[in-house]
Amino acid sequence: MRPGAESVRRLRAAVGAVAILAGVAVPGRAVAEPSPAPAPATPVCELGDRRLAEISGMVATDDGFVMMNDGADDEARRRIFFLDSACAVARAVPYPSRPRDTEDLAVGADGTIWVGDIGDNDRTRQTIAVWRLAPGADRPVLYRMSYPDGAHDAEALLVTGDGRPVIVTKYSAVLYTPSTALRPGATVPLTRVGQVRLPATTTSNPFGGLGRSSVTGAATASDGRRVVLRTYADAFEFDVTGGDVITALTTGTPRITALPDEPQGESISYSRDGRSLFTVSEAAVAGTRPVILRYPLAEPAPAASPGAPTPSAGTADDRHRTAGRVGTAVVAAGGLGLAVLVGGLVVVTRSRRAGRR
């Protein structure tokens, strides 16, 4: 692509992100609160395989990890990589056709690996997709979907216990699920089912305020009782009751684990025992290789007794009106700064990727 066209494309992505943030994401953010004290991260292993150069999704398995890159120009990188516990690649499964922009991984209750082909920096895609790799299979199967309200950029994928994918958009944390069962060779409409209101934090990260609100990955605990969303700065863990992931995300209050100063954190997974979170950055510090990090999790607070009173959170409309008033003030005070942050993040992210290709 010519430099002029590239510049126009990046500018269009930045402007689109500003519009989304100003209209949807900012009103849902609470007033910033102090970040939690970060749990010490423990390095697990370094990724030495040069094919893993743009890691955008990861799940932990009983004997290692599964990873994939962001959509890569290099054909050798367009694989689903199975790693052992020392981060050595043991198997690499190719796609039967070229994916567009793979951004996250999830694992179903039956061990099926789901690849979220859901990235769309320019918001120009007519359809998005998921790839399903059944246990023991040597090729994933493609399923296409379409949004009901125009294109969105997304980097986070969850799968419910009954095998339903949940897509979380990057800048607005809106949730979409298929309206009917997925079918190979067909495009299934998506339905908007809610929006996540992540609390604001002050965790240090390379992208500042926008990095603390951009949803870049998601994961489900192996027992299905917890889900986590991550940004470039923090992990937000929600308790799930009765398998209802949507209600957990739209009404729950998350526990926060700070993930400070990861170079470009876009992947997250629970450990198989559910006691830790694993993360890995898409990019590494210059001259180094990406490293998987382990963050220990605090024990969830005990559940209230059945007869204990529960503070009222107000109706959904009350919460929406309150969030809207807060968001309006934030937008009025910081619109210009927000635009600069959005443009900077999008351009820097795309430039990093371009520089590696």
Side-chain angles (χ1 to χ4, degrees), residues 155 170-171 203-208 210-216 230-234 259-266 282 345 349 353:
E155 295 189 0
K170 183 172 183 177
Y171 296 113
T203 304
S204 176
N205 72 97
F207 306 112
L210 185 60
R212 291 188 284 270
S213 63
S214 301
V215 180
T216 61
R230 75 156 298 162
T231 65
Y232 288 110
D234 301 282
L259 313 174
D261 299 318
E262 293 190 358
Q264 192 174 341
E266 297 193 5
E282 175 177 320
L345 176 56
T349 301
R353 293 175 182 171

mmCIF file of all heavy atoms in Angstrom, residues 155 170-171 203-208 210-216 230-234 259-266 282 345 349 353:
data_model
loop_
_atom_site.group_PDB
_atom_site.id
_atom_site.type_symbol
_atom_site.label_atom_id
_atom_site.label_comp_id
_atom_site.label_asym_id
_atom_site.label_seq_id
_atom_site.Cartn_x
_atom_site.Cartn_y
_atom_site.Cartn_z
ATOM 1 N N GLU A 155 -11.685 -7.406 19.858
ATOM 2 C CA GLU A 155 -10.494 -8.204 20.124
ATOM 3 C C GLU A 155 -10.705 -9.213 21.245
ATOM 4 O O GLU A 155 -9.746 -9.852 21.670
ATOM 5 C CB GLU A 155 -9.308 -7.289 20.463
ATOM 6 C CG GLU A 155 -8.882 -6.395 19.317
ATOM 7 C CD GLU A 155 -7.576 -5.660 19.582
ATOM 8 O OE1 GLU A 155 -7.001 -5.849 20.667
ATOM 9 O OE2 GLU A 155 -7.146 -4.892 18.703
ATOM 10 N N LYS A 170 -14.064 -3.605 21.141
ATOM 11 C CA LYS A 170 -12.857 -3.087 21.777
ATOM 12 C C LYS A 170 -13.081 -1.773 22.509
ATOM 13 O O LYS A 170 -12.663 -1.616 23.658
ATOM 14 C CB LYS A 170 -11.754 -2.914 20.726
ATOM 15 C CG LYS A 170 -10.417 -2.437 21.313
ATOM 16 C CD LYS A 170 -9.304 -2.465 20.282
ATOM 17 C CE LYS A 170 -7.966 -2.065 20.913
ATOM 18 N NZ LYS A 170 -6.845 -2.151 19.954
ATOM 19 N N TYR A 171 -13.690 -0.793 21.853
ATOM 20 C CA TYR A 171 -13.756 0.550 22.427
ATOM 21 C C TYR A 171 -15.047 0.843 23.175
ATOM 22 O O TYR A 171 -15.135 1.837 23.882
ATOM 23 C CB TYR A 171 -13.550 1.595 21.329
ATOM 24 C CG TYR A 171 -12.177 1.530 20.701
ATOM 25 C CD1 TYR A 171 -12.022 1.149 19.375
ATOM 26 C CD2 TYR A 171 -11.036 1.817 21.445
ATOM 27 C CE1 TYR A 171 -10.755 1.072 18.800
ATOM 28 C CE2 TYR A 171 -9.776 1.739 20.888
ATOM 29 C CZ TYR A 171 -9.648 1.369 19.554
ATOM 30 O OH TYR A 171 -8.398 1.279 18.993
ATOM 31 N N THR A 203 -4.069 2.484 36.370
ATOM 32 C CA THR A 203 -2.927 1.595 36.158
ATOM 33 C C THR A 203 -2.045 2.089 35.018
ATOM 34 O O THR A 203 -2.524 2.392 33.925
ATOM 35 C CB THR A 203 -3.412 0.168 35.857
ATOM 36 O OG1 THR A 203 -4.257 -0.266 36.927
ATOM 37 C CG2 THR A 203 -2.236 -0.785 35.730
ATOM 38 N N SER A 204 -0.756 2.117 35.256
ATOM 39 C CA SER A 204 0.203 2.569 34.254
ATOM 40 C C SER A 204 0.271 1.583 33.100
ATOM 41 O O SER A 204 0.314 0.367 33.302
ATOM 42 C CB SER A 204 1.590 2.705 34.905
ATOM 43 O OG SER A 204 2.568 3.051 33.949
ATOM 44 N N ASN A 205 0.260 2.126 31.864
ATOM 45 C CA ASN A 205 0.366 1.285 30.668
ATOM 46 C C ASN A 205 0.856 2.168 29.525
ATOM 47 O O ASN A 205 0.804 3.396 29.608
ATOM 48 C CB ASN A 205 -0.972 0.634 30.348
ATOM 49 C CG ASN A 205 -1.982 1.623 29.806
ATOM 50 O OD1 ASN A 205 -2.164 1.741 28.599
ATOM 51 N ND2 ASN A 205 -2.641 2.379 30.690
ATOM 52 N N PRO A 206 1.331 1.577 28.422
ATOM 53 C CA PRO A 206 1.925 2.390 27.350
ATOM 54 C C PRO A 206 0.952 3.312 26.633
ATOM 55 O O PRO A 206 1.387 4.229 25.937
ATOM 56 C CB PRO A 206 2.474 1.334 26.369
ATOM 57 C CG PRO A 206 2.659 0.099 27.187
ATOM 58 C CD PRO A 206 1.550 0.135 28.182
ATOM 59 N N PHE A 207 -0.370 3.100 26.796
ATOM 60 C CA PHE A 207 -1.338 3.866 26.019
ATOM 61 C C PHE A 207 -2.195 4.795 26.871
ATOM 62 O O PHE A 207 -3.204 5.333 26.394
ATOM 63 C CB PHE A 207 -2.226 2.909 25.220
ATOM 64 C CG PHE A 207 -1.441 1.954 24.377
ATOM 65 C CD1 PHE A 207 -1.426 0.596 24.673
ATOM 66 C CD2 PHE A 207 -0.685 2.395 23.304
ATOM 67 C CE1 PHE A 207 -0.680 -0.290 23.907
ATOM 68 C CE2 PHE A 207 0.067 1.519 22.543
ATOM 69 C CZ PHE A 207 0.073 0.175 22.841
ATOM 70 N N GLY A 208 -1.842 5.003 28.128
ATOM 71 C CA GLY A 208 -2.515 5.976 28.960
ATOM 72 C C GLY A 208 -3.973 5.650 29.216
ATOM 73 O O GLY A 208 -4.360 4.499 29.397
ATOM 74 N N LEU A 210 -6.681 5.696 27.343
ATOM 75 C CA LEU A 210 -7.376 4.821 26.406
ATOM 76 C C LEU A 210 -6.976 3.365 26.607
ATOM 77 O O LEU A 210 -7.799 2.456 26.451
ATOM 78 C CB LEU A 210 -7.083 5.245 24.971
ATOM 79 C CG LEU A 210 -7.854 4.480 23.901
ATOM 80 C CD1 LEU A 210 -9.351 4.637 24.068
ATOM 81 C CD2 LEU A 210 -7.433 4.929 22.515
ATOM 82 N N GLY A 211 -5.729 3.132 26.976
ATOM 83 C CA GLY A 211 -5.299 1.761 27.236
ATOM 84 C C GLY A 211 -6.027 1.125 28.399
ATOM 85 O O GLY A 211 -6.143 -0.097 28.472
ATOM 86 N N ARG A 212 -6.533 1.956 29.322
ATOM 87 C CA ARG A 212 -7.269 1.428 30.466
ATOM 88 C C ARG A 212 -8.727 1.129 30.143
ATOM 89 O O ARG A 212 -9.440 0.579 30.983
ATOM 90 C CB ARG A 212 -7.171 2.415 31.637
ATOM 91 C CG ARG A 212 -5.771 2.504 32.235
ATOM 92 C CD ARG A 212 -5.736 3.331 33.510
ATOM 93 N NE ARG A 212 -5.810 4.763 33.253
ATOM 94 C CZ ARG A 212 -4.756 5.547 33.054
ATOM 95 N NH1 ARG A 212 -3.530 5.025 33.062
ATOM 96 N NH2 ARG A 212 -4.900 6.840 32.835
ATOM 97 N N SER A 213 -9.203 1.494 28.961
ATOM 98 C CA SER A 213 -10.600 1.244 28.611
ATOM 99 C C SER A 213 -10.775 0.376 27.375
ATOM 100 O O SER A 213 -11.892 -0.007 27.045
ATOM 101 C CB SER A 213 -11.328 2.575 28.392
ATOM 102 O OG SER A 213 -10.772 3.290 27.302
ATOM 103 N N SER A 214 -9.707 0.053 26.659
ATOM 104 C CA SER A 214 -9.806 -0.749 25.444
ATOM 105 C C SER A 214 -9.796 -2.233 25.802
ATOM 106 O O SER A 214 -8.822 -2.736 26.365
ATOM 107 C CB SER A 214 -8.624 -0.440 24.510
ATOM 108 O OG SER A 214 -8.601 0.918 24.165
ATOM 109 N N VAL A 215 -10.856 -2.946 25.479
ATOM 110 C CA VAL A 215 -10.958 -4.374 25.801
ATOM 111 C C VAL A 215 -10.193 -5.165 24.751
ATOM 112 O O VAL A 215 -10.545 -5.159 23.572
ATOM 113 C CB VAL A 215 -12.429 -4.820 25.855
ATOM 114 C CG1 VAL A 215 -12.510 -6.318 26.195
ATOM 115 C CG2 VAL A 215 -13.201 -4.005 26.890
ATOM 116 N N THR A 216 -9.134 -5.848 25.181
ATOM 117 C CA THR A 216 -8.227 -6.505 24.239
ATOM 118 C C THR A 216 -8.205 -8.027 24.362
ATOM 119 O O THR A 216 -7.517 -8.687 23.588
ATOM 120 C CB THR A 216 -6.797 -5.979 24.427
ATOM 121 O OG1 THR A 216 -6.348 -6.279 25.765
ATOM 122 C CG2 THR A 216 -6.731 -4.472 24.191
ATOM 123 N N ARG A 230 -9.846 -8.229 29.768
ATOM 124 C CA ARG A 230 -8.630 -7.465 30.014
ATOM 125 C C ARG A 230 -8.591 -6.245 29.122
ATOM 126 O O ARG A 230 -9.193 -6.200 28.044
ATOM 127 C CB ARG A 230 -7.379 -8.311 29.805
ATOM 128 C CG ARG A 230 -7.003 -8.606 28.358
ATOM 129 C CD ARG A 230 -5.510 -8.920 28.244
ATOM 130 N NE ARG A 230 -4.693 -7.788 28.666
ATOM 131 C CZ ARG A 230 -3.412 -7.855 29.000
ATOM 132 N NH1 ARG A 230 -2.781 -9.013 28.936
ATOM 133 N NH2 ARG A 230 -2.738 -6.788 29.360
ATOM 134 N N THR A 231 -7.871 -5.238 29.586
ATOM 135 C CA THR A 231 -7.501 -4.078 28.792
ATOM 136 C C THR A 231 -5.986 -4.093 28.662
ATOM 137 O O THR A 231 -5.324 -5.049 29.059
ATOM 138 C CB THR A 231 -7.970 -2.782 29.462
ATOM 139 O OG1 THR A 231 -7.268 -2.622 30.716
ATOM 140 C CG2 THR A 231 -9.479 -2.806 29.734
ATOM 141 N N TYR A 232 -5.414 -3.028 28.118
ATOM 142 C CA TYR A 232 -3.958 -2.934 28.083
ATOM 143 C C TYR A 232 -3.373 -2.750 29.485
ATOM 144 O O TYR A 232 -2.165 -2.829 29.659
ATOM 145 C CB TYR A 232 -3.523 -1.765 27.212
ATOM 146 C CG TYR A 232 -3.715 -1.971 25.731
ATOM 147 C CD1 TYR A 232 -4.678 -1.256 25.033
ATOM 148 C CD2 TYR A 232 -2.938 -2.883 25.019
ATOM 149 C CE1 TYR A 232 -4.857 -1.440 23.660
ATOM 150 C CE2 TYR A 232 -3.114 -3.083 23.666
ATOM 151 C CZ TYR A 232 -4.069 -2.352 22.990
ATOM 152 O OH TYR A 232 -4.247 -2.545 21.644
ATOM 153 N N ALA A 233 -4.243 -2.515 30.491
ATOM 154 C CA ALA A 233 -3.756 -2.168 31.822
ATOM 155 C C ALA A 233 -4.211 -3.099 32.934
ATOM 156 O O ALA A 233 -3.486 -3.294 33.907
ATOM 157 C CB ALA A 233 -4.199 -0.729 32.169
ATOM 158 N N ASP A 234 -5.424 -3.658 32.841
ATOM 159 C CA ASP A 234 -6.021 -4.363 33.967
ATOM 160 C C ASP A 234 -6.803 -5.583 33.496
ATOM 161 O O ASP A 234 -7.193 -5.681 32.328
ATOM 162 C CB ASP A 234 -7.002 -3.445 34.728
ATOM 163 C CG ASP A 234 -6.357 -2.183 35.257
ATOM 164 O OD1 ASP A 234 -5.668 -2.261 36.293
ATOM 165 O OD2 ASP A 234 -6.551 -1.114 34.641
ATOM 166 N N LEU A 259 -2.438 -5.100 35.656
ATOM 167 C CA LEU A 259 -1.418 -5.705 34.786
ATOM 168 C C LEU A 259 -0.519 -4.580 34.284
ATOM 169 O O LEU A 259 -0.517 -4.242 33.105
ATOM 170 C CB LEU A 259 -2.097 -6.404 33.597
ATOM 171 C CG LEU A 259 -3.300 -7.309 33.905
ATOM 172 C CD1 LEU A 259 -3.947 -7.796 32.608
ATOM 173 C CD2 LEU A 259 -2.898 -8.484 34.788
ATOM 174 N N PRO A 260 0.253 -3.977 35.164
ATOM 175 C CA PRO A 260 0.920 -2.721 34.811
ATOM 176 C C PRO A 260 2.054 -2.879 33.807
ATOM 177 O O PRO A 260 2.836 -3.819 33.864
ATOM 178 C CB PRO A 260 1.456 -2.229 36.161
ATOM 179 C CG PRO A 260 1.657 -3.469 36.972
ATOM 180 C CD PRO A 260 0.550 -4.397 36.551
ATOM 181 N N ASP A 261 2.075 -1.939 32.854
ATOM 182 C CA ASP A 261 3.219 -1.732 31.958
ATOM 183 C C ASP A 261 3.584 -2.954 31.110
ATOM 184 O O ASP A 261 4.744 -3.133 30.750
ATOM 185 C CB ASP A 261 4.439 -1.263 32.759
ATOM 186 C CG ASP A 261 4.166 0.067 33.463
ATOM 187 O OD1 ASP A 261 3.562 0.951 32.831
ATOM 188 O OD2 ASP A 261 4.526 0.202 34.639
ATOM 189 N N GLU A 262 2.594 -3.783 30.764
ATOM 190 C CA GLU A 262 2.861 -4.811 29.760
ATOM 191 C C GLU A 262 3.030 -4.102 28.413
ATOM 192 O O GLU A 262 2.313 -3.157 28.116
ATOM 193 C CB GLU A 262 1.719 -5.825 29.723
ATOM 194 C CG GLU A 262 1.628 -6.651 30.996
ATOM 195 C CD GLU A 262 0.653 -7.825 30.856
ATOM 196 O OE1 GLU A 262 0.026 -7.952 29.786
ATOM 197 O OE2 GLU A 262 0.524 -8.599 31.829
ATOM 198 N N PRO A 263 3.970 -4.538 27.579
ATOM 199 C CA PRO A 263 4.279 -3.786 26.352
ATOM 200 C C PRO A 263 3.083 -3.579 25.431
ATOM 201 O O PRO A 263 2.865 -2.483 24.919
ATOM 202 C CB PRO A 263 5.358 -4.641 25.674
ATOM 203 C CG PRO A 263 6.002 -5.378 26.797
ATOM 204 C CD PRO A 263 4.904 -5.658 27.780
ATOM 205 N N GLN A 264 2.282 -4.612 25.210
ATOM 206 C CA GLN A 264 1.069 -4.492 24.392
ATOM 207 C C GLN A 264 0.186 -5.687 24.707
ATOM 208 O O GLN A 264 -0.009 -6.584 23.903
ATOM 209 C CB GLN A 264 1.391 -4.429 22.895
ATOM 210 C CG GLN A 264 0.193 -4.019 22.042
ATOM 211 C CD GLN A 264 0.562 -3.820 20.587
ATOM 212 O OE1 GLN A 264 1.718 -3.641 20.242
ATOM 213 N NE2 GLN A 264 -0.438 -3.867 19.720
ATOM 214 N N GLY A 265 -0.396 -5.666 25.904
ATOM 215 C CA GLY A 265 -1.111 -6.826 26.421
ATOM 216 C C GLY A 265 -2.455 -7.045 25.750
ATOM 217 O O GLY A 265 -3.384 -6.263 25.931
ATOM 218 N N GLU A 266 -2.565 -8.156 24.992
ATOM 219 C CA GLU A 266 -3.811 -8.450 24.291
ATOM 220 C C GLU A 266 -4.320 -9.859 24.553
ATOM 221 O O GLU A 266 -5.351 -10.240 24.000
ATOM 222 C CB GLU A 266 -3.640 -8.223 22.783
ATOM 223 C CG GLU A 266 -3.322 -6.766 22.442
ATOM 224 C CD GLU A 266 -3.463 -6.457 20.964
ATOM 225 O OE1 GLU A 266 -3.890 -7.343 20.203
ATOM 226 O OE2 GLU A 266 -3.145 -5.320 20.584
ATOM 227 N N GLU A 282 1.376 -8.939 22.808
ATOM 228 C CA GLU A 282 1.566 -9.093 21.362
ATOM 229 C C GLU A 282 2.971 -8.676 20.973
ATOM 230 O O GLU A 282 3.631 -9.326 20.167
ATOM 231 C CB GLU A 282 0.544 -8.248 20.598
ATOM 232 C CG GLU A 282 0.759 -8.279 19.093
ATOM 233 C CD GLU A 282 -0.287 -7.502 18.332
ATOM 234 O OE1 GLU A 282 -1.465 -7.568 18.702
ATOM 235 O OE2 GLU A 282 0.087 -6.814 17.370
ATOM 236 N N LEU A 345 -3.173 5.910 19.916
ATOM 237 C CA LEU A 345 -3.160 4.466 20.130
ATOM 238 C C LEU A 345 -3.345 3.710 18.837
ATOM 239 O O LEU A 345 -2.628 2.752 18.556
ATOM 240 C CB LEU A 345 -4.260 4.080 21.121
ATOM 241 C CG LEU A 345 -4.415 2.579 21.371
ATOM 242 C CD1 LEU A 345 -3.115 1.973 21.842
ATOM 243 C CD2 LEU A 345 -5.530 2.323 22.367
ATOM 244 N N THR A 349 -0.373 1.495 17.341
ATOM 245 C CA THR A 349 -0.586 0.056 17.244
ATOM 246 C C THR A 349 -0.379 -0.432 15.833
ATOM 247 O O THR A 349 0.303 -1.420 15.578
ATOM 248 C CB THR A 349 -2.005 -0.301 17.722
ATOM 249 O OG1 THR A 349 -2.151 0.144 19.069
ATOM 250 C CG2 THR A 349 -2.233 -1.807 17.654
ATOM 251 N N ARG A 353 2.697 -2.874 14.112
ATOM 252 C CA ARG A 353 2.466 -4.057 13.293
ATOM 253 C C ARG A 353 3.090 -3.926 11.932
ATOM 254 O O ARG A 353 3.695 -4.851 11.417
ATOM 255 C CB ARG A 353 0.964 -4.312 13.168
ATOM 256 C CG ARG A 353 0.318 -4.709 14.499
ATOM 257 C CD ARG A 353 -1.176 -4.840 14.362
ATOM 258 N NE ARG A 353 -1.771 -5.185 15.661
ATOM 259 C CZ ARG A 353 -3.070 -5.192 15.893
ATOM 260 N NH1 ARG A 353 -3.919 -4.909 14.934
ATOM 261 N NH2 ARG A 353 -3.528 -5.506 17.078
#
